[in-house]
């Protein structure tokens, strides 16, 4: 599969370049055909071939889009929660018209565009379009009800963040607006919700197959499943499955059922949950139960040449409830963004397999108070390849206090968290967070953790159809009086991407990651191509009083290519080459690694208040 994708990319580099149309000037000098770009000459030749009535001509006409243009997207780099429609606040919503567009060949910015190619028409015939009532259930306003502040922009953002929708626009029809009523048009565009991924290694016979349906029968239900085979592990196969039903009965309550049967982790769980999905959401909470069995890695000793594990198993019941309070505003056309939030959570854990005496049956009650300010901006070419993306900014501060009653001992818990982010179209995006949490037993602070994180990405640099953006991420996790079996790694998302050490573990970690993304104008079958270069460095130390910087860091460098079709539910496909100069002691693996990944290494942290809990040490 990787070979096919690589071949498709090479063909795309010589086949299709997407050019933003420029305005023609009658006084401009005639085009110099000698200096015409190579990709333009190739495109012109292929266009001529596609017009012939030959097998090759018909095939090229079916698979290639010669007149693709970058869509003009209005309102980017503008704040989403703005006062564009403030003159319509508290007017009665007279009519709501909903237009749902199929996944392929349609445009949310140009509703006159229709599918033209055979593949677009065939793909839409296999896709079940989202039903209008699902879109209506996402809206924060109703017909014949007054239009609350923020209802339009928050509804648009919620639709755009729905897994089975690519984009959404909510428009007030100014032609029919009166002094006391409005008509609203809602336009959504689907993605091709059926997708999957897979990999296969001919040398070992190992592989993986994953399938998912994000909009089953157009009802918004999600089905996920994966299967790995011929693994070099205690058991040769692994499987996972999940089922999700969102926004049950227009309550924004979501049901999740998950099943994991892996070599070192097994889970059966079911939850009902409701988040603070919008700025003005009043109540959130969750209730659920899970059964988990896993094998945890034991602390390393200098003579270790293989990993040592111990079994851990427990049942857990979990429930929490949160309430949001808004501050009083004397401006009826403006709703304040800040919210004061209180929450209470109770977790009951019973262990049926304990690897050490540090694990006890317990009931943990934890309460928290927080302050959240949320705003969103629009931008493109961050984690997507041209779709509209919502960039969160704001401030979130919370303080937590809890009490754990166990069968061996009782103790208290204290936690503090503060994060903020700022965005500017010229400066870029800056996010920073600091968090601390620790148990307190007999006056001693134990199982504590200090987390520091900062992420910055630059503005988008453009040269014609070529676009460049830089990402920098810094993270540190400092364990304070942690138990010996609580360990950190620097593998993959935890430190160096592509790095995989079975023995290298510690209690304190510092990581710096850099990445440059170059978005190219090339595409094939709708898959856009980006190239990337990265440099990672990680420090790791073992011991509750150790310093990560006293040891030599582990670096990693690499390059890669990235594919994505925004209209499909396939994950972003990455083919990376990584080089790791330093190898851990007692281990032997190749410094150079070629691998495929579908996980995003970076992600936004929303300023949504979440359930109170214990800071996770990982």
């Amino acid at each position: 599969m990787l070979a096919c994708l690589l071949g498709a990319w090479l063909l795309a580099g010589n086949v299709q370049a997407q050019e933003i149309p420029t305005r023609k000037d009658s006084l401009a000098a005639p085009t110099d055909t000698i200096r015409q770009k190579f990709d333009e000459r190739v495109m012109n030749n292929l266009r001529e071939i596609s017009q012939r009535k030959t097998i090759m001509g018909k095939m090229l006409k079916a698979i290639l889009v010669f007149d693709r243009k970058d869509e003009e997207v209005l309102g980017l780099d503008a704040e989403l929660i703005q006062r564009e429609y403030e003159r319509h606040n508290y007017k009665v919503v007279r009519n709501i018209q909903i237009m749902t567009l199929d996944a392929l060949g349609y445009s949310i910015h140009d509703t006159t565009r229709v599918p033209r190619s055979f593949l677009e028409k065939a793909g839409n015939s296999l896709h079940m379009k989202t039903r209008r009532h699902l879109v209506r259930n996402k809206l924060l306003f109703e017909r014949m009800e007054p239009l609350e502040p923020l209802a339009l922009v928050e509804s648009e953002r919620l639709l755009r963040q729905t897994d089975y929708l690519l984009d959404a626009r909510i428009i007030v029809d100014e032609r029919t607006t009166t002094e006391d009523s409005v008509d609203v048009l809602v336009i959504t565009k689907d993605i091709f919700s059926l997708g999957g991924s897979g990999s296969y290694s001919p040398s070992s016979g190992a592989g993986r197959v994953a399938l998912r349906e994000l909009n089953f029968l157009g009802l918004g239900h999600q089905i996920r499943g994966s299967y790995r085979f011929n693994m070099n592990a205690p058991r040769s196969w692994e499987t996972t499955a999940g089922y999700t039903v969102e926004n049950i009965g227009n309550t924004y309550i979501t049901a999740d059922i998950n099943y994991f049967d892996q070599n070192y982790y097994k889970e059966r769980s079911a939850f009902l949950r409701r988040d603070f999905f919008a700025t003005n959401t009043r109540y959130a909470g969750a209730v659920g139960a899970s059964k988990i069995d896993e094998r945890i890695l034991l602390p390393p000793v200098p003579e270790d040449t293989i990993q040592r594990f111990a079994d851990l198993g427990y049942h857990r019941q979990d429930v929490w409830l949160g309430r949001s309070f808004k501050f009083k505003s004397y401006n009826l056309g403006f709703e304040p963004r800040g919210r004061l939030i209180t929450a209470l959570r109770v977790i009951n854990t019973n262990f049926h397999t304990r690897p050490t005496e540090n694990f006890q049956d317990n009931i943990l009650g934890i309460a928290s108070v927080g302050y959240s300010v949320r705003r969103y901006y629009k931008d493109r070419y961050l984690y997507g390849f041209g779709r509209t993306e919502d960039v969160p900014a704001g401030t979130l501060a919370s303080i937590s206090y809890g009490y754990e009653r166990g069968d061996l001992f009782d103790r208290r818990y204290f936690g503090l968290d503060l994060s903020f982010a700022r965005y500017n179209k010229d400066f870029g995006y800056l996010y920073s967070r600091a968090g601390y949490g620790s148990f307190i037993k007999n006056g001693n602070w134990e199982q504590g953790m200090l987390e520091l994180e900062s992420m910055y990405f630059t503005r988008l640099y453009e040269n014609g159809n070529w676009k460049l953006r830089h990402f920098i991420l810094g993270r540190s996790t400092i364990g304070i009086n942690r138990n010996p079996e609580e360990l950190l790694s620097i593998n993959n998302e935890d430190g160096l991407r592509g790095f995989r050490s079975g023995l290298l573990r510690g209690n304190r970690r510092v990581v710096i990651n850099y990445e440059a993304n170059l978005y190219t104008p090339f595409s094939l079958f709708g898959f856009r191509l980006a190239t990337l270069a990265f440099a990672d460095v990680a420090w790791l130390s073992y011991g509750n009083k150790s310093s990560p910087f006293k040891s030599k860091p582990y670096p990693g460098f690499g390059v890669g290519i990235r594919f994505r079709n925004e209209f499909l539910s396939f994950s972003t496909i990455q083919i990376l080459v990584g080089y790791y100069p330093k190898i851990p002691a007692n281990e032997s693996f190749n410094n150079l690694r070629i691998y495929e990944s579908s996980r995003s290494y970076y992600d936004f942290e929303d300023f949504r208040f979440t359930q109170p809990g214990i800071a996770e040490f990982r």
Side-chain angles (χ1 to χ4, degrees), residues 267-272 286-292 313-320 344-352 361-366 611-612:
E267 175 185 335
R268 286 86 172 157
S269 63
F271 280 87
L272 290 173
V287 59
S290 59
K291 179 181 183 297
I292 295 177
Y314 57 90
H315 293 82
R316 174 168 289 171
Q317 298 82 43
D318 191 348
V319 59
W320 78 279
L344 177 65
R345 184 182 184 189
V346 178
I347 308 171
N348 179 37
T349 306
N350 295 287
F351 291 91
H352 55 268
D361 295 345
N362 66 86
I363 298 177
L364 172 65
I366 184 168
Q611 61 187 22

Side-chain angles (χ1 to χ4, degrees), residues 251-262:
T251 61
Y252 272 89
I253 295 176
T254 297
D256 286 307
I257 299 175
N258 293 298
Y259 174 82
F260 296 86
D261 189 359
Q262 300 171 328

Side-chain angles (χ1 to χ4, degrees), residues 407-424:
D407 59 349
L408 300 178
F409 52 82
D410 301 338
R411 55 182 179 173
R412 294 171 291 149
Y413 179 82
F414 173 79
L416 185 65
D417 202 286
L418 175 64
S419 60
F420 75 91
R422 298 294 180 265
Y423 171 83
N424 182 278

Side-chain angles (χ1 to χ4, degrees), residues 221-245:
H221 296 195
Q222 300 181 19
I223 303 174
R224 306 172 300 276
S226 68
Y227 180 75
R228 301 177 70 102
F229 55 91
N230 290 340
M231 299 177 59
N232 183 20
R235 192 181 64 189
S236 63
W237 60 272
E238 293 180 345
T239 185
T240 67
Y243 189 83
T244 299
V245 181

